[in-house]
Amino acid sequence: MAHASPPPQTSRDRLAEARVRFLTADSVDSAAVRKPILASWWRSRQWNVAADRVDLDYLHEPDLETRLVRAAAPVLHKLHDELSGQPISIILTDAAGLVLARLTGDHDLERALDGIKLAPGFSYAEESVGTNGIGTALEAGRPAHVFGHEHYAEDLDRFGCAGVPIHDPVSGKTVGVIDLTCW
């Protein structure tokens, strides 16, 4: 009788295995993890971010009367209208990763994001939740996308996110992030 061989390991499986190996201080197959993600995992470990859960405290009611919010609002609403009915959330943060606004066109996704506290008044800086589209974009100073098991915190591994820093047009200083999060 012939033995069935196991199914080939997918890149998602290799990534999940690499994450577990990293969290248990084993060596990591560098081919399984993108360099910006591995660098973020190291930062997350240095900040002692919980890998098994998202553990955030509500910081404060965001100030919605800032130049950033006023300038971004029309863009966010236009994008929200264009993505209406899609399971995608549009998120605006300040330069410290504090969520200022979240527009979501899907009830299930909105409930899930509430469950991980990806909501106004909570910070998604890397030092708070580890590798994620918002915090990693802020740390790297450039666009970042994080999918599934690339997230440091296990509670985030069912999501994909892409964050882009917003720069002040005069000073060039990073003033926030626009992030798209989906399943």
Side-chain angles (χ1 to χ4, degrees):
M1 174 160 134
H3 293 288
S5 43
Q9 195 175 34
T10 66
S11 60
R12 179 183 162 112
D13 295 335
R14 284 192 305 278
L15 178 61
E17 180 181 312
R19 182 180 172 278
V20 169
R21 291 180 67 80
F22 178 84
L23 294 173
T24 58
D26 283 337
S27 63
V28 175
D29 174 8
S30 60
V33 185
R34 294 184 293 125
K35 285 181 183 175
I37 298 301
L38 190 55
S40 175
W41 286 358
W42 279 107
R43 289 189 300 268
S44 301
R45 177 184 281 170
Q46 290 172 333
W47 282 315
N48 295 315
V49 173
D52 62 339
R53 69 193 176 289
V54 170
D55 186 22
L56 297 175
D57 292 323
Y58 182 79
L59 298 179
H60 56 80
E61 188 71 28
D63 180 3
L64 301 180
E65 297 303 319
T66 64
R67 272 187 12 198
L68 172 63
V69 174
R70 285 192 304 274
V75 175
L76 297 176
H77 289 290
K78 182 175 181 349
L79 187 55
H80 183 261
D81 289 344
E82 290 175 6
L83 297 172
S84 180
Q86 299 298 313
I88 299 172
S89 187
I90 305 150
I91 298 155
L92 176 69
T93 77
D94 68 10
L98 179 74
V99 177
L100 303 173
R102 182 185 79 194
L103 302 170
T104 308
D106 179 81
H107 180 68
D108 291 337
L109 180 59
E110 185 146 20
R111 274 197 353 250
L113 296 179
D114 285 346
I116 58 168
K117 300 179 181 176
L118 183 46
F122 293 93
S123 174
Y124 257 69
E126 261 190 3
E127 65 190 63
S128 300
V129 294
T131 309
N132 73 89
I134 295 166
T136 304
L138 286 170
E139 285 297 321
R142 62 182 180 269
H145 56 278
V146 181
F147 302 107
H149 295 295
E150 290 181 329
H151 289 94
Y152 190 77
E154 187 175 313
D155 288 352
L156 304 179
D157 69 5
R158 59 192 167 141
F159 301 101
C161 51
V164 177
I166 303 166
H167 300 282
D168 181 284
V170 176
S171 71
K173 179 182 170 189
T174 299
V175 294
V177 167
I178 290 183
D179 173 80
L180 299 179
T181 294
C182 60
W183 297 114

